Amino acid sequence: DQQVKQNSPSLSVQEGRISILNCDYTNSMFDYFLWYKKYPAEGPTFLISISSIKDKNEDGRFTVFLNKSAKHLSLHIVPSQPGDSAVYFCAASALGSNYKLTFGKGTLLTVNP
Amino acid sequence: NAGVTQTPKFRILKIGQSMTLQCTQDMNHNYMYWYRQDPGMGLKLIYYSVGAGITDKGEVPNGYNVSRSTTEDFPLRLELAAPSQTSVYFCASSPQGAGGKLFFGSGTQLSVL
């Protein structure tokens, strides 16, 4: 049973446009959410996070939105750049879990020049 | 900056063989984790440790063992390798209180034939 779901395996956008990556979760105990970015043959790298007490967190071109009632979060990248092309993983952890992360399957983002 | 170092990068095992995947970090992080990523899937937690001498099971611990004798090292042992253990293995570390912001190694690609 997938507790963190990324239903779009891939997304293609034009350079300069907005990329929106979506993530849904089912576990009500999750209270911290993160996005990781992964290039081929490398380990994932942390991108941005959000606590359940917030509904938005922004870091430069990256913004994460959290809708707790819908159990949905999204990552917005504006403007998208070719170097953003990578697999993006949504992850979540529950309070008191020692930050054990549950990951989604990932979305491959391709930004076309 | 070395960060999290994993060795080897690639390995082919025969069914029934054993091996140890090495992981070391030079950031003095308390928390360390082992994840595996199967093709088209998200990362799944095998084992984790919150400090030297303390380890605990994750989501998919069967067929693996770990030890944590020092802060720096967190080796993962595969006993009696099976084809189902063919995967990419990632080690990660995190300082206490980092909210799930893990630092990953570059991974070990393991094939069991």
Side-chain angles (χ1 to χ4, degrees), chain B residues 43-90:
Chain B
L43 284 76
K44 294 193 175 182
L45 182 64
I46 306 171
Y47 270 95
Y48 70 103
S49 168
V50 299
I54 306 169
T55 62
D56 206 349
K57 296 177 180 178
E59 184 183 356
V60 289
N62 291 346
Y64 307 94
N65 276 301
V66 293
S67 59
R68 184 97 183 269
S69 57
T70 67
T71 299
E72 295 79 17
D73 300 308
F74 191 40
L76 178 71
R77 177 82 177 164
L78 278 73
E79 303 282 1
L80 299 174
S84 61
Q85 293 178 303
T86 293
S87 191
V88 180
Y89 291 83
F90 291 102

Side-chain angles (χ1 to χ4, degrees), chain A residues 13-54:
Chain A
V13 300
Q14 286 300 118
E15 180 178 5
R17 306 293 291 269
I18 185 171
S19 296
I20 300 176
L21 293 90
N22 294 304
C23 179
D24 297 293
Y25 62 97
T26 58
N27 189 340
S28 300
M29 299 303 291
F30 288 149
D31 70 335
Y32 204 77
F33 304 90
L34 307 95
W35 286 92
Y36 281 81
K37 177 179 178 179
K38 185 183 181 304
Y39 293 118
E42 294 184 10
T45 55
F46 169 76
L47 189 59
I48 193 169
S49 62
I50 188 167
S51 163
S52 59
I53 63 174
K54 294 185 174 182

Side-chain angles (χ1 to χ4, degrees), chain A residues 32 34 36 38 41-46 49 87 89 93 97-106, chain B residues 31 33 35 37 40-43 45 48 50 57-58 90 97-102 104-107:
Chain A
Y32 204 77
L34 307 95
Y36 281 81
K38 185 183 181 304
E42 294 184 10
T45 55
F46 169 76
S49 62
V87 176
F89 290 100
S93 71
S97 70
N98 288 320
Y99 298 110
K100 292 184 294 184
L101 298 182
T102 300
F103 284 83
K105 292 184 178 182
Chain B
Y31 289 31
Y33 309 82
Y35 285 89
Q37 184 189 14
M41 302 296 287
L43 284 76
L45 182 64
Y48 70 103
V50 299
K57 296 177 180 178
F90 291 102
K101 297 170 192 171
L102 307 186
F104 282 87
S106 58

